[in-house]
Amino acid sequence: MNALLMSRRDAVTLAIFALVVLTMPVWLQPFGAAYPGLMQKFAIYAIFAIGFNILFGLTGYLSFGHAAFLGVGSYTAVWSFKLLTMDALPAIAFAIILSGLLAVVIGYLSLRRSGIYFSILTLAFAQMCYNLAYSVLTPITNGETSLQLNLRDPRIIDSALAPRPAGLPSAGLFGHTFTGLEGFYFCAAALLIAFFIAQKIFASPFGMMLRGIKSNQTRMNYTGFNTRPYALSAFVISGMYAGLAGALLAVTDPLAGAERMQWTASGEVVLMTILGGVGTLIGPVLGAWIIKYFENIFSAFNEQIVSRFFDFLPAGAHEVVTAVASKFVGEGWNLTLGLVFVLIVVFLPGGIMEGVRRIAHLFDKSRRAPKAPAKLSTQPAE
Amino acid sequence: MAVPNVVLHVADVHKRFGGLHALADIDLQIEEGQTHAIIGPNGAGKSTLLNVCIGKLAPTSGTVVFDGQVLTGKKPHEINQLGIARVFQTPEIFADLSVLQNVMIPALAKRDGAFKLNLLRSLDSQTTIRAEAEDMLEDVGLFGRRDTLAGSLSRGDKRRMELAMCLIQHPRLLLLDEPTAGMSRHDTNTTIELLKKIKSRGMTKVIIEHDMHVVFSLADKISVLAQGRIIADGTPDEVRGNPKVQEAYLGGTHQ
């Protein structure tokens, strides 16, 4: 009961956030992004980034290996589908537990160092997981061909409850199979719960301790805190968030490949968090959405679309602009993303959220500005 | 006459750094409720002694006993939880948190211990801790600045806030490493006033100090350190009159 209480400000934020997430199929329409596959990714990677930010944003420990937990979450979920049931909830539960356990091990070892050494250690562990998935663990991960559902899977619980349908099943909830937008709404619900928990952590004494660790670890120690278990808890929580995201990826598409654990995937979540705003609640979500949007929409643009976009230009300029601009779309979407990233880090080190704050500040000023001269005029002229 | 209660006992401590004998045969007894100053010229080993006391450095031989517990080999947070708080030479604070948060964190450490997974309760609901922190800020004269970022305080204010962070834990022993270093005369005097106020509450303090003005206005007892050895020990008047001290320290600075 007490655990559900939150400040008015947080409650308003959560309500607005819920509204934005649940109406995605409407407001993403003009952006051409309102199809389930992409919206699911928006929700899932937002969870991944929120969890990552609990570690990086609050404690300042920069992990370069969080994709390992994402991958473990996916593998676990697919195995739960294969062996037990196509129901999403047990798959998610197992994924969170297993990625949490892996996070305990990796975190316990990596957190013995800080700064760049911590980052390198997490990177090394994640690459180890990735290579294990490709080599020794092939019986579990199915190596290069990735882990997939199979007609001969036992699915013990499902088989016991109902006759097996023909063909490969897909994931669902309580015997109902997700169709259309249902998969997205399921992910959206998970995102809202994940966001709510993150809000609670940010506002809790525990969150304050994590901020203390980021701010001055020496003082934390001399203030009587054992900082190691605090940092480890944050690491495990963020690992569990990543596991949840991995499980949801498997729920929306029951397939798990090792490339999900590669260092580029770990780097992507770092980019998302920095792009949106480290240490803020909304920032990582925005970062995740922007990067996924670029990845899916910009990469689909081709030269014809660009050429049509610049139709208004005179003939000579049209060719030049089209030729240059088309380098930044399609295969070259990373180029655009890189450019946006550089601009944001240089001009808005606090990410998009800092931009939002600056604009809000400007509005505050201009609202107050007309009052100031009025005040002056009330002063008697001596 | 009652035997004074010894809170901190530094027994036979030696500390060597390679060939350098930084501390030799140090024997110190800090009595309950007293303000004990450790003075000495630069390089005398004052900071080394303090670091040995709080477990930051392990002595080459000898022990440090606090209230019946051996401190050597304990971690900083364990030593703090035993009731020893420390003010640093350069203020160690949470620069990007507010002044109030800076003082609430140690209050939580006192209440919750070295680790507690306090995830789901809100910090705003910790009204007792908050009230305690606000009272403490009132005491040190920083209440009006409670919402300022700690990093933007002046050096004197940072020091006072750091003191508040230590005092809110009601430590049995407070260690101060040059609490007025780099301060203006005015800030130094307000700090002395503040420390006198604390003294009236009977808290035991060890002060390492350079500034004679500070030492002689606060200390009940003074130990003089020179080249890693204690060369004099006693009340301020005894120490002032000691020819060895004048030669090693006071004489050198007052000629």
Side-chain angles (χ1 to χ4, degrees), chain A residues 278-298:
Chain A
V278 180
T280 63
L281 269 163
I282 304 277
V285 178
L286 292 181
W289 290 351
I290 289 168
I291 287 186
K292 283 297 146 188
Y293 182 78
F294 270 91
E295 184 184 293
N296 286 277
I297 302 296
F298 252 65

Side-chain angles (χ1 to χ4, degrees), chain A residues 203-204 215-216 219 222 224, chain B residues 80-81 86 92 96 119 123 162:
Chain A
S204 71
S215 181
N216 190 339
R219 184 28 102 187
Y222 285 101
Chain B
N80 176 281
Q81 291 288 349
R86 177 178 183 183
E92 289 279 357
D96 43 12
L119 275 179
L123 191 63
E162 200 191 19

Side-chain angles (χ1 to χ4, degrees), chain B residues 183-195:
Chain B
M183 272 191 194
S184 67
R185 185 46 72 183
H186 172 75
D187 274 341
T188 303
N189 285 336
T190 45
T191 309
I192 291 176
E193 286 313 308
L194 185 62
L195 289 173

Side-chain angles (χ1 to χ4, degrees), chain A residues 2-7 197 200-201 203-209 211-227 229-230 233 237, chain B residues 54 56 76-77 80-81 86-88 92-97 101 105-106 108-109 113-124 126 162 165-166 169:
Chain A
N2 197 7
L4 289 177
L5 284 177
M6 58 200 315
S7 71
I197 294 174
K200 295 298 292 185
I201 290 175
S204 71
F206 174 74
M208 182 53 67
M209 299 312 136
R211 286 197 185 94
I213 291 175
K214 181 180 184 177
S215 181
N216 190 339
Q217 185 134 270
T218 311
R219 184 28 102 187
M220 282 303 274
N221 284 323
Y222 285 101
T223 298
F225 287 109
N226 192 359
T227 50
Y230 277 104
S233 310
I237 290 170
Chain B
I54 51 145
K56 198 174 176 184
H77 71 263
N80 176 281
Q81 291 288 349
R86 177 178 183 183
V87 172
F88 287 80
E92 289 279 357
I93 55 166
F94 305 113
D96 43 12
L97 300 180
Q101 287 169 333
I105 288 175
L108 286 164
F115 176 67
K116 188 177 178 191
L117 204 56
N118 207 346
L119 275 179
L120 296 175
R121 295 201 15 231
S122 146
L123 191 63
D124 294 337
Q126 321 280 306
E162 200 191 19
M165 292 165 74
C166 290
Q169 297 193 312

Side-chain angles (χ1 to χ4, degrees), chain A residues 150-345:
Chain A
N150 194 308
L151 284 175
R152 280 166 294 135
D153 288 337
R155 279 201 292 288
I156 303 168
I157 298 177
D158 282 359
S159 314
L161 291 178
R164 295 174 72 103
L168 284 176
S170 41
L173 207 56
F174 309 125
H176 171 81
T177 302
F178 291 143
T179 51
L181 280 175
E182 285 167 6
F184 161 67
Y185 280 114
F186 183 72
C187 296
L191 170 59
L192 293 181
I193 294 170
F195 188 78
F196 171 73
I197 294 174
Q199 276 186 314
K200 295 298 292 185
I201 290 175
F202 269 59
S204 71
F206 174 74
M208 182 53 67
M209 299 312 136
L210 298 184
R211 286 197 185 94
I213 291 175
K214 181 180 184 177
S215 181
N216 190 339
Q217 185 134 270
T218 311
R219 184 28 102 187
M220 282 303 274
N221 284 323
Y222 285 101
T223 298
F225 287 109
N226 192 359
T227 50
R228 193 77 64 69
Y230 277 104
L232 184 59
S233 310
F235 193 88
V236 172
I237 290 170
S238 77
M240 288 158 95
Y241 267 76
L244 168 65
L248 288 172
L249 282 176
V251 167
T252 54
D253 181 14
L255 177 120
E259 74 290 337
R260 212 165 264 175
M261 306 168 101
Q262 219 180 349
W263 67 271
T264 47
S266 297
E268 199 180 54
V269 74
V270 179
L271 292 191
M272 288 170 180
T273 312
I274 293 176
L275 190 67
V278 180
T280 63
L281 269 163
I282 304 277
V285 178
L286 292 181
W289 290 351
I290 289 168
I291 287 186
K292 283 297 146 188
Y293 182 78
F294 270 91
E295 184 184 293
N296 286 277
I297 302 296
F298 252 65
S299 63
F301 284 179
N302 53 27
E303 213 163 331
Q304 278 90 46
I305 299 178
V306 177
S307 163
R308 227 177 302 136
F309 185 77
F310 290 113
D311 254 351
F312 60 93
L313 291 171
H318 179 249
E319 261 85 78
V320 176
V321 171
T322 307
V324 173
S326 59
K327 293 281 174 279
F328 286 84
V329 298
E331 294 275 285
W333 72 271
N334 272 316
L335 210 54
T336 320
L337 182 64
L339 212 60
V340 170
F341 188 73
V342 168
L343 288 177
I344 288 205
V345 170

Side-chain angles (χ1 to χ4, degrees), chain B residues 173-217:
Chain B
L173 176 65
L174 180 62
L175 304 174
L176 300 124
D177 193 355
E178 301 203 17
T180 60
M183 272 191 194
S184 67
R185 185 46 72 183
H186 172 75
D187 274 341
T188 303
N189 285 336
T190 45
T191 309
I192 291 176
E193 286 313 308
L194 185 62
L195 289 173
K196 277 187 177 160
K197 207 158 114 189
I198 301 164
K199 191 176 162 182
S200 62
R201 295 180 199 168
M203 188 181 293
T204 315
K205 290 195 296 292
V206 174
I207 301 186
I208 289 207
E209 191 49 86
H210 233 64
D211 190 330
M212 287 303 124
H213 170 59
V214 177
V215 171
F216 285 105
S217 29

